[in-house]
Each structure stands twice: as C-alpha cells, then as structure tokens.
Amino acid sequence: MMTGTGLDRLSSLMERFRVQADLFHAGPLCGVTHFADRPSQGFLHVMRRGTMEVTHSADSGAPLRLSVEEPSLLFYPRPLAHDFHNAPTEGSDFSCATLEFDGGARHPLARALPPVVVLPLARVAGLEHTLALLFAETEQLRCGRRLLANRLFEVLLLQLLRWLLDHPAQAQLPTGLLTGLAHAQLAKTLVALHERPGEAWSLERMASNAGMSRSAFAAAFKAHVGETPADYLASWRLAIAQTQLRQGQSVKSIAEQLGYGSAAALSRLFTQKLGVSPRAWMNQPAGPANSASSPPKKTLKSIGLVQ
C-alpha cells in the first residue's frame, strides 16, 4: 500500500471535526469495570501495567473477548459498551479518557474506524515522550492537571491516527477514509477536498489533482475509499453542513460556502442522503445536538478474570 508521505493528511480533517478528550480515571483497576455506551462518546484507555481481558456484547461488531498482555492503547471511536476484567492481584494501572466527537457518529473518523483498536505502546515510535508527560500529570494533583491531561490524550489520539495511516494493512483497517488517506495519490485529492470543499470538483479535476487518469482514479478511489468520488464529496459536504447547522448558520449561507447554487440545491442533498430537509433534520429529537455525557460509572467487583 502506498502512503501519503510529505502530506499532512490529518490537520484539515481534525480542524473541521474536532475530538475533545476528558480524563476520568487514573490508577489501578481490579475486578470488573463496565464502560457504558453514550451518544457521541468514544474512549481512549492507556493500560500502563498489568494484563486483562476485555469483553464486548455479541452484537457490537467488536470481538467478544480480547486478551491484552502488554502495555497498550485501547481506542473506541464510537459509542460501544465494554468491560475490563482485571485480576485483583495484578493491580493493572490505567489512564482513561472519554472522547467527544464533533457530530457524534457522523464524525468522519468515527465512521471510518473499526469498533475498537488495540495497539501495544511499544509499536508507536515517539509515544513514550507523550506518555511520560501524561503519567507525570496523572500521578499527582497539580494546578491545571485535568486540562493538561486532556490535551495530552488528544496528542495520543493524533499519534495513534498517524500510526494507523502509516500501517493500514497491519492495523487491518476497513475500506474507507483512512485507507484512502493511506494511498499516496488518492490522499492528495482527499486532502484537497477536505480543505476546499466548496470548489467546483469535477471527476477530471480530482483525477488531475491525484496525478492519475480519470478511469484509474475512479477505480482506485472506489477500491480504497469504498464509494465513488462524487458520493464521497457529497457526504463530506453534508457532514460539514450538519456541523454548521448545529452552529446556527443559515442553509443559504452554508450552500454558498459549499459550492451549491442555492439553498434548494443543498436541501436536495439532505433529502437524497437523509430523507429529510435541513429544517426537518434540525427538528429531529435525536438529531443535530451532541448529547452532553458525564464520565461512565465504574462498577468494581473483585471477581477476577472471566474464564
């Protein structure tokens, strides 16, 4: 797989759709700890010491059971209930944060990633420096501790995403945005679409931006991203429009920014993709607003590892 070296594949994406971390646990865990699924919320766990079993429900899309035998990152990009099982005698040591994805399940990364990513810390070059700062902050109470720890978790997330982009096959990423960004030529066009979604993007112009013929570009895009270039651009514009609607911008203003000739044209995109108009989407009970979520409640029971 070709990689997009020399190209910043993440900044425009993460600036448009932010992820905010919130530290909620630092220290040992023992017995069973349950992490509930909450709207728009993911998790990033750092297991510093110990071993454990992780379990998921049968309908979650994640493995029913995972064994984590070495210090690792465990990343949940979408709401997904999970349980950690730690033997009391082992005293596993954790730092844990919730991740609030702008747009919730509509966040492009939340849609593009597998349900859970487990990555040993030793595999990611440079991670030790961030972790040293994080552990120094979580081990004692100092002014600004939570704020600094939150930012460090966001740095960890970016480092994890970098690793995934550089190792798509090893990470076994599903076909989608990240596998497209991992392709050197397609990444050029994807970054351009992310940075300038309102420009007039014909298939010919997208292919030229990638340095490919139209037919080769269309075939490669479909194979690596999982949809046609036109469908991806429409979905990207729709995601931006949803974010801007939540921020109070008018349909007319958003349509102009995204290259549509009128508010009616943007409304047609909503109807085509979502089955409702922008106004109707805004009025849906569970629609546009990110649900505010408190950190998960932990249930600790010293029952040891599940056999």
Side-chain angles (χ1 to χ4, degrees):
M1 176 78 72
M2 294 180 289
T3 58
T5 55
L7 183 68
D8 187 345
R9 295 165 285 171
L10 287 175
S11 289
S12 56
L13 175 63
M14 300 300 284
E15 287 167 354
R16 287 274 189 188
F17 296 93
R18 297 187 180 277
V19 182
Q20 292 185 315
D22 186 15
L23 171 74
F24 69 88
H25 176 79
L29 294 174
C30 64
V32 179
T33 308
H34 176 70
F35 302 92
D37 56 329
R38 297 172 186 272
S40 78
Q41 193 176 85
F43 292 90
L44 183 57
H45 304 287
V46 182
M47 190 180 81
R48 186 180 182 184
R49 285 188 295 268
T51 62
M52 69 170 177
E53 298 272 331
V54 185
T55 57
H56 308 97
S57 63
D59 59 352
S60 67
L64 288 177
R65 183 182 300 273
L66 291 169
S67 294
V68 185
E69 305 292 338
E70 61 181 299
S72 298
L73 292 175
L74 292 95
F75 173 39
Y76 290 84
R78 296 185 292 279
L80 177 63
H82 52 286
D83 295 279
F84 288 177
H85 306 259
N86 303 100
T89 56
E90 294 180 358
S92 294
D93 189 12
F94 283 83
S95 293
C96 303
T98 57
L99 299 173
E100 197 74 23
F101 286 83
D102 184 22
R106 294 180 295 273
H107 191 290
L109 282 176
R111 298 200 315 264
L113 286 159
V116 58
V117 176
V118 181
L119 181 61
L121 303 183
R123 290 191 191 176
V124 185
L127 205 61
E128 64 275 7
H129 304 299
T130 307
L131 290 172
L133 289 171
L134 177 63
F135 296 147
E137 289 301 318
T138 57
E139 284 173 349
Q140 54 184 307
L141 182 59
R142 294 188 290 180
C143 294
R145 169 182 181 261
R146 177 178 292 277
L147 289 177
L148 186 52
N150 291 349
R151 300 296 82 79
L152 289 168
F153 265 107
E154 290 163 13
V155 171
L156 279 178
L157 175 60
L158 281 171
Q159 291 176 302
L160 170 59
L161 293 173
R162 279 180 179 175
W163 188 90
L164 293 174
L165 285 175
D166 291 338
H167 305 84
Q170 189 175 346
Q172 298 183 325
L173 291 176
T175 300
L177 172 58
L178 288 184
T179 51
L181 287 172
H183 187 289
Q185 292 169 284
L186 296 181
K188 296 176 183 178
T189 295
L190 285 166
V191 170
L193 297 180
H194 294 165
E195 292 178 344
R196 307 188 300 278
E199 294 187 5
W201 288 105
S202 64
L203 178 61
E204 183 175 8
R205 184 182 176 193
M206 286 190 252
S208 176
N209 201 84
M212 303 171 72
S213 69
R214 291 201 315 171
S215 59
F217 172 78
F221 199 99
K222 178 71 173 178
H224 291 277
V225 182
E227 55 187 326
T228 68
D231 283 342
Y232 180 84
L233 177 60
S235 296
W236 178 249
R237 286 173 168 172
L238 177 64
I240 294 172
Q242 290 174 301
T243 296
Q244 293 177 333
L245 281 172
R246 293 194 303 273
Q247 295 170 348
Q249 297 189 39
S250 69
V251 176
K252 180 179 179 182
S253 172
I254 297 170
E256 291 173 353
Q257 295 175 53
L258 295 180
Y260 292 101
S262 64
L266 180 58
S267 294
R268 285 195 292 272
L269 174 66
F270 265 76
T271 302
Q272 175 188 356
K273 294 286 188 178
L274 303 177
V276 295
S277 68
R279 182 183 297 275
W281 178 79
M282 284 289 291
N283 290 332
Q284 290 176 350
N290 280 334
S291 300
S293 301
S294 58
K297 295 180 180 179
K298 296 181 291 178
T299 303
L300 302 178
K301 297 180 181 179
S302 297
I303 61 173
L305 296 176
V306 173
Q307 300 300 318

